[in-house]
Amino acid sequence: MIATNFDYDSCVRASEKVAWKLDEVFPPDLKLDYSRRFLPDSLTGVDSLPFLSPGERLKLNQINGNAYLYLFYFVEEYIIASVIQHANAEMFGDPAALRALFRFADEEVKHQQLFMRFREVFERSFGHSCDVIDNPQAVAEIILSKAPMAVALTTLHLELVTQQHFTEGFRDGDSAGLDPAFASLLKNHWLEESQHAKIDALELQKLAAGASADQISAAIEDYLGILGAFAGLLTAQGALDVTSLERATGRVFTGDERSAIAAAQGAGYQRALIALGVENPSFQKYLLQYSEPGLARVNAAHRGAPS
Amino acid sequence: MMPLVQERMAKALGAARAGEVLAQAFNRFGERRVETPQDMLDFADVLMGSGGLVQAVGRSLKVLALLRGALER
């Protein structure tokens, strides 16, 4: 059993302290400031595209910010279904766990509404439509067909990623010049996700406690399969961003430029959403506790080395 | 896994009624014991045949069993 300094009760208490209302964080008539970046440079691939003008970089950053939030909307589709399952399993069980899980699910639905509210404002005011990958429901169905431990590991990975984005991109001082509304949205999202990561860790402990080495090994393979599929989706999003940038700037890129933008965007998403999660020290620590060979397998797969 | 099943039933129905319901359910379950997540899933299916609150407990136990690695047959 992993020693933790939190339990379901403390997660609920902390969640109550940081809870916010949708209309307070993002009123429907909120104005976005298009003279500023949405995302810190550390979360984008824009730096590697020297042939873009400063104005084009700014547009791409904003396209990136829109897609970034949509990707969280996208994955929260499966997370909500998964957390409801865990809550259902706790009926007539531990009331503290039940409350924490329902609160978790409620907050994730609120986050989805927040991201959709942003998207409506963005679509209305950016001036050009921006394409995003579709069908989160189908992806949720595929993810939920995997081993429950793999699903919980993926969720933990994603929850820890949001914390790391905040730490790397905001708290460490890379937030100067960002649109304050977007920065506030990200901060508020992170505040609630930090409790979700702890609840995920507690749920994983329960699943791991009764699992055999074979079950854990199968779950690790499923987790890697989910990451592989997710990487494909992020590459697809990178390609969609090129078309969105052409629409927003009126510039037609050469084939090489299109490829470079798509590659930089895809790599940026993969670093932000996959690499940072796998390499996250807390994620590595949890994985080590569940399975040392599992951790080695994940790290080898992440480095692209044969395992 | 049996203590967990007993605990959930007692919480939902009270100790006395839970004992009665479990005895009836075990009559239908046969000689098997509830030791693994797969056993718990099968036992949950028996409880779900009862309706009402017992069915609700069975449904929750079934989800719990699936999360712990049991498979639908």
Side-chain angles (χ1 to χ4, degrees):
Chain A
M1 183 70 83
I2 301 166
T4 55
N5 59 357
F6 52 83
D7 58 18
Y8 290 104
D9 274 328
S10 67
C11 288
V12 170
R13 281 197 301 275
S15 159
E16 285 173 335
K17 272 187 200 162
V18 300
W20 43 265
K21 291 182 179 146
L22 191 53
D23 284 341
E24 290 168 358
V25 169
F26 206 93
D29 58 350
L30 190 78
K31 302 272 187 290
L32 296 167
D33 182 352
Y34 289 105
S35 69
R36 292 168 178 244
R37 290 172 301 145
F38 286 176
L39 286 175
D41 290 337
S42 59
L43 293 182
T44 71
V46 179
D47 270 351
S48 61
L49 301 167
F51 56 87
L52 294 183
S53 70
E56 288 165 344
R57 282 163 180 264
L58 180 63
K59 290 273 187 210
L60 186 56
N61 180 291
Q62 290 160 355
I63 290 166
N64 212 326
N66 173 60
Y68 173 89
L69 290 191
Y70 177 78
L71 288 165
F72 275 107
Y73 166 87
F74 194 95
V75 296
E76 281 174 356
E77 193 75 8
Y78 97 80
I79 292 175
I80 292 163
S82 168
V83 174
I84 292 284
Q85 273 183 336
H86 283 252
N88 199 352
E90 210 47 75
M91 285 290 291
F92 314 108
D94 176 3
L98 189 60
R99 195 164 166 226
L101 288 161
F102 274 126
R103 201 173 170 87
F104 183 164
D106 173 62
E107 288 170 351
E108 292 293 18
V109 176
K110 182 175 69 177
H111 296 172
Q112 277 201 316
Q113 290 180 320
L114 172 69
F115 299 150
M116 278 301 102
R117 190 172 278 193
F118 166 83
R119 187 157 167 74
E120 282 163 20
V121 170
F122 181 78
E123 288 272 290
R124 213 168 43 229
S125 56
F126 185 61
H128 307 273
S129 69
C130 292
D131 300 325
V132 287
I133 49 174
D134 62 3
N135 215 344
Q137 296 81 7
V139 174
E141 193 177 353
I142 292 167
I143 292 176
L144 290 172
S145 71
K146 304 295 182 190
M149 253 192 95
V151 177
L153 265 179
T154 307
T155 308
L156 178 66
H157 167 130
L158 290 167
E159 308 288 4
L160 290 171
V161 149
T162 63
Q163 291 181 38
Q164 201 157 346
H165 290 178
F166 182 79
T167 309
E168 287 199 358
F170 292 84
R171 206 175 61 191
D172 291 350
D174 190 19
S175 61
L178 298 187
D179 172 30
F182 200 93
S184 158
L185 184 158
L186 289 179
K187 181 186 172 191
N188 281 286
H189 179 228
W190 166 76
L191 281 173
E192 292 188 339
E193 293 294 351
S194 64
Q195 301 313 313
H196 298 178
K198 293 176 186 169
I199 297 167
D200 273 325
L202 293 168
E203 287 298 300
L204 257 172
Q205 274 188 11
K206 289 196 291 200
L207 299 185
S212 66
D214 283 350
Q215 281 176 315
I216 292 177
S217 175
I220 296 287
E221 293 306 317
D222 274 0
Y223 162 72
L224 290 172
I226 291 170
L227 287 194
F230 193 36
L233 289 171
L234 297 176
T235 301
Q237 181 59 56
L240 292 173
D241 289 350
V242 184
T243 306
S244 299
L245 183 62
E246 284 189 328
R247 246 185 243 134
T249 60
R251 177 175 168 183
V252 178
F253 295 107
T254 66
D256 285 349
E257 287 169 341
R258 286 185 66 88
S259 299
I261 297 167
Q265 290 295 103
Y269 292 128
Q270 290 192 28
R271 178 183 176 274
L273 294 165
I274 295 182
L276 284 182
V278 172
E279 295 163 7
N280 182 285
S282 294
F283 187 77
Q284 293 263 320
K285 184 186 80 180
Y286 286 123
L287 207 47
L288 176 65
Q289 297 282 343
Y290 304 134
S291 166
E292 197 171 341
L295 174 62
R297 170 79 181 103
V298 167
N299 286 335
H302 180 52
R303 287 192 304 266
S307 58
Chain B
M1 307 225 89
M2 198 54 211
L4 191 147
V5 174
Q6 288 168 325
E7 187 188 318
R8 296 282 176 100
M9 291 293 283
K11 238 181 198 172
L13 304 170
R17 175 80 182 121
E20 289 169 19
V21 170
L22 283 172
Q24 288 165 8
F26 267 108
N27 278 338
R28 293 200 295 272
F29 200 51
E31 297 298 308
R32 290 178 60 188
R33 300 163 70 98
V34 179
E35 292 177 336
T36 66
Q38 198 64 46
D39 298 333
M40 188 157 78
L41 186 144
D42 293 341
F43 190 69
D45 276 335
V46 172
L47 294 175
M48 284 169 64
S50 298
L53 197 50
V54 178
Q55 184 181 52
V57 179
R59 198 170 282 146
S60 172
L61 289 173
K62 183 167 182 169
V63 177
L64 180 60
L66 289 167
L67 288 176
R68 305 274 170 104
L71 298 171
E72 292 262 35
R73 291 183 210 273

